[in-house]
Amino acid sequence: MKKKLLLPVVLSLIISAQAIAAQGNKENGKIIYDKKCWWCHGEKGAGDGPAAKFLNPPPRDFTAGWYKFKTTPFDEITPADEDIFRMISGGMNHISLWKGMSGTSMPNWDDVLKEQDRWDLVAYIKSLSGLEQPQKPPISYSGQIKSSKESIEKGREIFKKMCVECHGEEGKGDGTKKLKDDLGFRTWPRNLTKPWTFKVNNDPKEIYTRISNGIPGTQMPSFADPSSKKTLSEEERWHVANYVASIADDIKRPKDDTVLKVIRLEGDLPSKIDDPKWAEAQPTSFYFIPQIIAKERFFTPTMDSITARAFYNDKEIAILLEWDDRTKSIPGDEKAKELAEGDVLEDSVAVQFPVIIPEEMEKPYFGMGDSAKPVNIWQWKSGTTSAPETMKLMNANGFQKIEQRDAAKAGLKAIGVYNNGTWRVVMKRPLATEEKDKDVQFAEGKYTPIAFAAWDGSNGESGSKHVMTTWYWLLLKPATPKSTYIIPIIVALLVFGGELLLVRKSKK
Amino acid sequence: MKIPRLLLFVILVALSYFIFKAPGIFLKQPIPSSLIVMYMFFAVVTILLWMTSTEEGMQGLIGPIKRMIEDPGKKTLRNIIFVIVPIVAAGITYMQLRPTYEAPVELRSIHPAPPSTIKVFGKTFNLMTLENPYRKLEKEDPQKFAQLVKEGGEVYFKNCFYCHGDKLDGRGHYAHGFNPLPANFTDIGTIAQLQESFLFWRISTGGPGLPKEGAPWISAMPVWENFITEDEVWKVILFLYNYTGYVPRSWAK
C-alpha cells in the first residue's frame, strides 16, 4: 500500500524538478554563455569558436540538437534537461586534476557557476536548436543485474560478438574500423580498460545507459534498438556492462608517485618482452600530453599514458615501455593504411636522459636539452614492411642541434612487439659506456631525470608532432641494507634494558 | 576539570604531529618527512621544558609512571606496557631507516625578480618603465577597450586555455602533464600581485626565459615570442585581468 503511495510522490517530484529546469532563464543563460562558453562552442552555438581548431573532439554544435550523454531512450532524440545540466556541471569522472569530460576540453562548471546559472544555460542551449521537453522518460534501471563471475563471463561472450569490431579484442579501442562522427570528425572508440578516460564513467549503470541509448552523433550504436542487427536484450546489456566495468586496468593509471624504480636482479635481465620476470618489476605510469610547446605544435593526440618497468644488474639496465596505441603503424601495410589519418608513418617511442646526471636540481631543458646541457635520446621505431625495426641514439642540445650517434657502439638495443592495442618495447644498455662524456652513466641510488615521448604513425605523428612528458625520475633502487632490520632490534633491546633498570631502581 | 599532565603531554605531542602533517593532507604539499622528524624533536623538547618547568608539573608528568612501576597491583599493566614500548620504538626506528625513494624536493622561486631589460620581438624593452599601451583606453575609449579585451580572449582561447584552463584556473585539459602546474590566474597569488610589464616578460620569453632560481628547465610555459605578436601579448594581458576582475599592480603602489 505504502509503495503505491510513494510512486506518485516520486513522479511528481521528478515532474517538478523538470518544471524548475524548464523555468531556466534563457536570457540569463545567454549572458553567461557569451562570457564563458562561446570561445569553444561558437557565438551562435555552432561549435565554431576560436578554440575549436585546436580541439578533437570538437566542441559540440548546439544548433544540431544532439547530445551524446543522455538518459532518454535511443528513439528519443531530446535529452532530459538533467542530462545537459549534468554534463555542464561535470565531476562524474576525472583525470588527476581534470574534473570535466575526460579526453576533451569540456571542463566542469560546478565550481564557478551557481546551480541556477547552470539551469539557465540548459534553457539557453536548448533554445539554440529549438529543443522542447522529451516525450519519453529516461530509461529504467530496475532490471539491473548485480555484477558476478557468471554475469561477467556472459558479458565477455557478448562483448566478443558485438563490441570488438570497434573496441578491439581486449577493449583497448583498437578496432578494425575507421570511424567518423556525424560531422565528419575522426572519432576513436573508447579504450575501455582505462575508465578514467571515459567521458562519463564506468559505473555499470552508465555503461548500460551508453549501450542502450548509444552515443548520438557518433558510431557508438544503441543496442536496444529492435530494428538494428545489433540488438541485445535488457539482461544481455547488463551482463556486458558488468564485463566492461571489470576490465579496468588500474596499473595504467598514473599515480602521485612518479619515481620509476629500477629493481636490482642477480643474474641476467629479461630480454624477451613476455618474460614472466617482468611481473616482479614495479610499474609506474605517466600521463602523455601532446607537444604543444615548440614549433610545430600538435593538438590531436590519440595516446594518453605510458607505463614503465625496469630492472638492472651489475652490468646492464633494461626498461620495458608499454603504451596503448589503437593502431599498429607499419608503412607499406595495407591494413594499417585503412585505419590511418593520411600516410602511414612508423610508430615510435623514446626516452630522454641528461648526459650528465645533475648533482643539484639544475637539469637540461626538458624539450631536448639546451645549449649548455645536452641530453641523450634513445628512440625506437617500428620499421616498415620492407625494413626492420630500428634503435637510434641521439645527443641533442635543443631540437635544432642534434647529433646522430651509433647505438650499437654504445651497447644500446631494443625490441618491440604489438599486441591487441598495446606496444611493448624493451630497451637495454650497459650501465656504463666508453664515451663517458657523451652517454648518461647509471649509478645505483642516484636520482636520474627521465622523460618519455611517443609517436602514433597512423595519426600523422612524426618529428615534433608527438606526445610527451616533462622530466620525471628514474632510480636504480639499492638493495635494502641489512642494518635497516638490525638496528630496530637493537633499539628494542636497549629500551627493554632501560625498563629493567627502572624497575630495579624503584625496588631499592 | 584538570587534565592529567601525562595525558596533556600526549595530546600536545599528537597535536604538533598533526599540524606538521596537515599541509600534506589538506593542501597536497607535504613537509618532507626528514623535516617533520626535526620539527617533532624540537616540539617534544619544548613541550617537555615547558611542562617540567615547575616542581608540580614535573611530578604530574613522572608521578603516574612511577606509580605504575612501583604499585604491585598494576603489575600486569606494567608488563604489557613494557612489552609494547620496545616494539613501538623498534617500529619507529624501522620506519625512519627504511628507504622510501620519494622524488627529491626541489625548491624554486615562482616569481623570480625580472631583469631590468629584455630583448624580444627584435626590440629592447625596459621593464622598469614598460606599460601596457592599451591600458589607458579603459577610461578614454571603453568601447574600443572592450573590443581589445575580446581580441585578447581569442588569443587566449587559441593559445593558452589548454594549459591555463577554460576558467583561467590553471587547470586546462593538458595541465595534469606538467610540474610546475600552469599558473592559476584566478588565484590572488599570481597576476593580482604582478605588474603588466612582468606578465609581458613572462609571456614573451616563457619557461626558458626564466632566471636560474625559476628553474627554467622544467617550466612548460612556451616562448610566446615565437607564436604571437607583441600586440597580441598586450591584448591577452588585458583579457587576463578583465576575465578575473583583478587590476594589475601599478608603479604607484
Side-chain angles (χ1 to χ4, degrees):
Chain A
M1 189 58 211
K2 257 199 176 142
K3 257 192 185 153
K4 275 189 187 149
L5 259 174
L6 210 64
L7 190 68
V9 174
V10 170
L11 267 182
S12 65
L13 273 179
I14 291 175
I15 288 165
S16 67
Q18 281 192 345
I20 294 172
Q23 282 164 10
N25 176 340
K26 268 198 311 220
E27 285 71 37
N28 185 44
K30 179 169 163 46
I31 292 170
I32 300 164
Y33 182 93
D34 288 345
K35 172 141 200 214
K36 311 258 186 203
C37 319
W38 82 271
W39 308 103
C40 295
H41 291 288
E43 242 154 331
K44 301 244 150 58
D48 55 356
K53 256 199 346 226
F54 302 91
L55 301 174
N56 183 1
R60 181 79 66 264
D61 174 352
F62 293 133
T63 62
W66 46 260
Y67 288 83
K68 286 187 180 176
F69 301 99
K70 65 185 188 75
T71 54
T72 51
F74 70 94
D75 50 358
E76 168 60 73
I77 177 88
T78 310
D81 284 354
E82 284 77 5
D83 296 338
I84 305 179
F85 179 80
R86 186 171 80 140
M87 296 317 287
I88 296 173
S89 304
M92 281 81 68
N93 187 10
H94 59 101
I95 292 187
S96 189
L97 303 158
W98 178 257
K99 295 201 187 117
M101 291 166 78
S102 285
T104 85
S105 61
M106 174 67 188
N108 61 309
W109 291 97
D110 56 346
D111 55 349
V112 290
L113 294 179
K114 289 197 291 283
E115 186 171 337
Q116 188 56 48
D117 288 345
R118 282 174 268 141
W119 283 119
D120 294 348
L121 279 164
V122 172
Y124 176 64
I125 291 176
K126 279 181 73 175
S127 75
L128 292 172
S129 59
L131 282 182
E132 300 289 329
Q133 286 303 314
Q135 299 303 306
K136 296 194 173 146
I139 58 166
S140 146
Y141 302 109
S142 59
Q144 178 165 15
I145 296 168
K146 276 248 158 63
S147 184
S148 66
K149 243 182 158 166
E150 293 78 54
S151 168
I152 289 174
E153 206 38 59
K154 282 183 192 155
R156 183 199 309 276
E157 293 307 317
I158 302 163
F159 188 85
K160 276 205 178 120
K161 277 202 295 255
M162 295 297 198
C163 319
V164 292
E165 61 167 324
C166 294
H167 288 286
E169 218 45 64
E170 295 177 11
K172 293 183 207 149
D174 56 321
T176 51
K177 278 184 155 176
K178 183 170 178 176
L179 303 176
K180 296 236 151 103
D181 73 9
D182 288 3
L183 299 171
F185 291 96
R186 183 79 193 252
T187 50
W188 301 96
R190 201 76 66 251
N191 182 337
L192 300 173
T193 65
K194 292 181 169 179
W196 57 96
T197 67
F198 283 27
K199 289 178 184 172
V200 184
N201 65 43
N202 79 332
D203 183 320
K205 268 192 188 165
E206 291 295 346
I207 302 172
Y208 174 83
T209 312
R210 301 292 92 75
I211 308 171
S212 303
N213 304 349
I215 301 185
T218 79
Q219 285 184 313
M220 170 75 192
S222 157
F223 290 87
D225 182 355
S227 68
S228 122
K229 271 182 284 178
K230 297 177 181 159
T231 319
L232 294 171
S233 71
E234 183 178 348
E235 204 185 305
E236 288 172 316
R237 276 177 271 141
W238 280 112
H239 291 318
V240 75
N242 288 336
Y243 170 71
V244 170
S246 80
I247 60 174
D249 182 357
D250 199 56
I251 287 179
K252 292 192 278 198
R253 187 172 60 82
K255 320 276 190 314
D256 285 344
D257 181 12
T258 46
V259 179
L260 169 58
K261 280 143 205 132
V262 189
I263 308 296
R264 194 183 169 90
L265 282 187
E266 301 307 327
D268 287 345
L269 303 184
S271 48
K272 287 228 183 73
I273 283 166
D274 52 2
D275 195 313
K277 251 218 174 96
W278 283 114
E280 291 163 33
Q282 197 172 324
T284 310
S285 298
F286 306 91
Y287 285 117
F288 271 144
I289 33 111
Q291 197 288 97
I292 49 177
I293 296 152
K295 275 179 184 167
E296 287 284 316
R297 293 179 294 170
F298 164 67
F299 293 96
T300 50
T302 55
M303 306 184 290
D304 50 36
S305 70
I306 186 165
T307 302
R309 293 172 171 81
F311 284 125
Y312 74 105
N313 58 18
D314 44 8
K315 286 195 217 62
E316 283 183 309
I317 180 168
I319 307 176
L320 170 64
L321 300 169
E322 208 171 322
W323 74 103
D324 288 355
D325 174 347
R326 292 184 178 84
T327 46
K328 180 182 185 185
S329 320
I330 303 291
D333 184 82
E334 282 307 312
K335 227 184 103 209
K337 211 165 159 187
E338 273 169 35
L339 287 175
E341 279 299 299
D343 290 340
V344 182
L345 309 163
E346 284 174 271
D347 280 339
S348 178
V349 70
V351 292
Q352 172 182 285
F353 300 100
V355 169
I356 309 293
I357 302 174
E359 294 296 336
E360 303 283 319
M361 57 185 273
E362 197 174 336
K363 309 178 185 88
Y365 185 53
F366 70 87
M368 300 181 81
D370 51 60
S371 55
K373 290 183 246 38
V375 292
N376 278 153
I377 296 172
W378 304 354
Q379 186 182 19
W380 171 90
K381 286 187 168 186
S382 63
T384 67
T385 43
S386 53
E389 53 188 299
T390 53
M391 186 66 190
K392 287 209 286 183
L393 171 60
M394 286 168 274
N395 277 31
N397 282 89
F399 63 93
Q400 280 152 330
K401 216 176 148 219
I402 301 171
E403 180 197 353
Q404 301 288 343
R405 298 183 47 223
D406 187 346
K409 216 173 122 207
L412 184 59
K413 287 177 286 194
I415 47 166
V417 170
Y418 185 86
N419 189 22
N420 281 335
T422 303
W423 273 112
R424 289 185 184 79
V425 170
V426 172
M427 295 184 177
K428 247 187 184 184
R429 210 207 69 178
L431 294 181
T433 65
E434 268 165 31
E435 292 188 88
K436 299 214 180 322
D437 53 339
K438 286 206 140 178
D439 285 310
V440 57
Q441 307 292 310
F442 295 99
E444 194 175 84
K446 211 164 184 180
Y447 282 90
T448 309
I450 183 172
F452 305 86
W455 290 255
D456 176 0
S458 296
N459 189 38
E461 296 176 36
S462 74
S464 70
K465 298 191 172 179
H466 59 82
V467 289
M468 59 177 285
T469 75
T470 58
W471 288 122
Y472 291 105
W473 297 102
L474 170 116
L475 177 73
L476 274 58
K477 193 172 157 185
T480 310
K482 292 218 170 59
S483 59
T484 311
Y485 307 109
I486 297 173
I487 292 176
I489 297 176
I490 296 176
V491 168
L493 289 176
L494 282 179
V495 173
F496 191 67
E499 288 173 345
L500 291 184
L501 277 180
L502 258 182
V503 175
R504 267 189 61 182
K505 208 172 133 213
S506 74
K507 285 218 171 117
K508 269 189 195 151
Chain B
M1 197 192 74
K2 208 160 174 255
I3 307 172
R5 306 291 284 186
L6 191 58
L7 183 63
L8 182 65
F9 175 72
V10 173
I11 291 176
L12 285 177
V13 171
L15 194 67
S16 341
Y17 185 68
F18 178 72
I19 289 174
F20 298 140
K21 277 287 186 191
I25 300 170
F26 298 113
L27 303 177
K28 291 254 173 216
Q29 287 177 332
I31 300 174
S33 53
S34 56
L35 274 184
I36 291 194
V37 171
M38 199 170 79
Y39 291 168
M40 280 308 290
F41 175 78
F42 287 121
V44 170
V45 168
T46 313
I47 295 168
L48 272 181
L49 278 178
W50 171 67
M51 292 190 72
T52 57
S53 58
T54 63
E55 180 65 20
E56 186 202 358
M58 187 84 166
Q59 283 311 316
L61 211 53
I62 295 181
I65 301 177
K66 219 165 155 186
R67 277 197 295 283
M68 184 198 66
I69 295 173
E70 286 168 2
D71 186 349
K74 290 190 174 159
K75 214 169 155 191
T76 7
L77 177 69
R78 186 194 73 190
N79 288 349
I80 292 174
I81 290 181
F82 273 22
V83 171
I84 291 177
V85 169
I87 292 178
V88 169
I92 292 176
T93 318
Y94 173 72
M95 297 301 273
Q96 287 305 316
L97 287 178
R98 186 186 53 140
T100 49
Y101 310 117
E102 285 161 27
V105 184
E106 296 179 291
L107 299 173
R108 61 189 284 275
S109 165
I110 298 174
H111 296 131
S116 52
T117 59
I118 55 166
K119 263 204 175 120
V120 285
F121 302 110
K123 285 187 257 175
T124 304
F125 294 86
N126 183 343
L127 288 185
M128 299 296 159
T129 54
L130 188 62
E131 280 178 27
N132 192 335
Y134 295 128
R135 182 57 65 190
K136 56 179 184 287
L137 293 179
E138 192 168 10
K139 287 211 186 74
E140 291 171 7
D141 189 350
Q143 216 171 345
K144 175 97 208 293
F145 188 79
Q147 180 57 30
L148 290 168
V149 167
K150 190 175 171 197
E151 285 167 28
E154 295 198 19
V155 174
Y156 185 86
F157 277 96
K158 285 177 179 162
N159 298 292
C160 321
F161 76 106
Y162 32 85
C163 290
H164 290 287
D166 325 17
K167 296 174 281 188
L168 280 65
D169 57 358
R171 298 285 189 269
H173 55 292
Y174 295 134
H176 57 270
F178 301 113
N179 180 12
L181 285 171
N184 172 356
F185 301 128
T186 65
D187 187 284
I188 48 159
T190 65
I191 58 170
Q193 300 260 339
L194 302 170
Q195 291 171 340
E196 292 185 283
S197 61
F198 187 96
L199 264 68
F200 182 81
W201 167 52
R202 289 306 332 115
I203 296 168
S204 31
T205 66
L210 284 163
K212 216 163 163 179
E213 64 270 27
W217 50 88
I218 190 79
S219 172
M221 172 73 174
V223 183
W224 287 105
E225 186 197 4
N226 298 340
F227 296 96
I228 59 181
T229 63
E230 180 188 339
D231 198 46
E232 286 173 321
V233 175
W234 288 124
K235 287 194 273 195
V236 76
I237 293 175
L238 293 184
F239 172 76
L240 296 184
Y241 284 106
N242 181 276
Y243 193 99
T244 55
Y246 291 127
V247 275
R249 243 176 75 181
S250 66
W251 290 109
K253 273 184 230 160

